[in-house]
Amino acid sequence: LSGCGGTVPAVMGTRVLENRRDRLTTMLVLPLMSCGARLPIYSLIIPAFFPAAWRAPMLWLIYLIGMVLAVALAKLLRCTALQGAPVPFIMELPPYRIPTLRDVAIHMWERGWLYIKKAGTIILGISILLWAMTNYPKKTVFDRDYEAESARARAVSVEAIQRVGATLGLPVGDTRLQEAIQAFPALAGLAESFVASAPEVQPSGSAVAVAPTPAHDPVVRFQTMRDQIVAARAALEADKTNATLTDAQRAESDRTHARKLAELEQTDPVAYGAAAKCLDEIEAPFVEAKAKIARDEDAEKLSYSLAGRLGHLLQPALAPLGFDWRIGTALIGAFAAKEVFVAQMGIVYSVGDADENSASLREKLRANYTPLAAFCIMLFCLVSTPCMATTAVVRKESGSWGWAIGQWVGLTLVAYLLTLVAYQGGTLLGF
C-alpha cells in the first residue's frame, strides 16, 4: 500500500520482512502499485478522453488493475521462482522513545549518504544516458528554415509597431516607441529588426524641437496605458482562476473589470487603442509565433535524436497496441521518471512545456488517439518498465542486477501482453 505513494521507499520498506523470498516477491511486484509519479499521466489522459461521470471510476479502475495484478503475480512468483514454505509475519515493536536531535541528524546523514553512494550513482549514470539519448545526435540541417521564419515574425511585428507609432501621432523616424517597446518582455529581441527597418531621418534644419512634457508625451501615455490594461487583465484572470469565488462573484468581477477597462478607454482613447492593439495584435501573435517555431524545432530535434530514432524503430512493435513513434519516444523518456512521459509528449506534439493540465496537449491527443488507445497508454505505463530510481533501489536491496533486470524485462513483457489483449480485444468489440 505504501507503494501508492512512492515505489522507492516501499522497496526499502521490505526490510521488515525476515524471509528473503518474501522480500524479493514484494519488491518485484511493487511497481504495479500506481505511485504518485504516474498520476500526472492519468490526470492528462482521463479528462481528455472520458466524460466527467467516468473520470473517477476510470482512475479507480487503473489503481485496481495494478493491485489485482500485483497480488496475482506475487502468487505466481511464490509458486514458481520463489517457492518455499510460507513464513508467518511477526514483527516485534520496540519501545518507542523520543529521539534526540543529535541522533536524528546522525541517522539522516548516514542513510542519506548511503543512498547517494550506492543508489545515487546508478541513478546519475542512467540520467546522463537518457539525457544524451534525447539530445544527441544534434541535427544541423533542418526540414524548415526556422531562422527565416523567426525573421519573418519579427518583421511583421516591426511593421505593426510602426503603424502603432503613426496612430500615436509620432513623426516618421521617431524611434522612441521602438526603444520603449524593448522593455516589454514579450517583444524583447526585436532591436536588430528595428535597426534594419528604421527609415533615414532627414535633417530638419536649424529649428530646435521642444520635447513634450511627460503628461503629453504620446510614448509615455502609451506605456502608462499599456501597464494599466495589463494590470486590469491580470486581476480579471486571477478572479477567474480563484476557486473560492462563487458564480455570482465571478460575474460581478467580470462587470467590475469591464467597467475599469471602459474608464481607461475614456480617459485617453488614442493611447488606449494603441496599447490594446500592441497587446492583442502584436505582442500576443509574436509570442505565439516564437513559441510555435521553438516547439517545432524542438520536436524535430527530438525526432532526430537517438530516443526519437528508437521510437521510430519501435513503432512496428507498438502499432498492435495502438501506439505510434511519439508514444514510443515518450516511453523511453519515462524511464527517467514516469511523469516525464507528459513532458515528452508535449515536445513531440510541439506544444511546449506541457503538464497534466495542458489543454493544447489534450486536444492533440484527442485528435490522434481513440479512448481505447488512451486507456491502453495508461495500462502500459502502469505495468511496464519501472523507473530508473526503482531499478537502482531494487538492485541495491536484492543485491543482484539479475533481479533488477528481470523485473524490468518481466514487467515490460507483461505490460505488452496485457495491452495487446486490451487493444485488440477492444477493437474487435468496437470500442
Side-chain angles (χ1 to χ4, degrees), residues 65 320-323 371-373 375-377 379-380 414-431:
I65 289 173
L321 311 182
F323 302 166
L372 176 61
F375 174 80
C376 290
I377 292 172
L379 180 63
F380 193 86
V414 171
Y416 188 91
L417 293 175
L418 282 178
T419 309
L420 179 65
V421 171
Y423 184 77
Q424 295 299 328
T427 302
L428 291 174
L429 293 175
F431 289 105

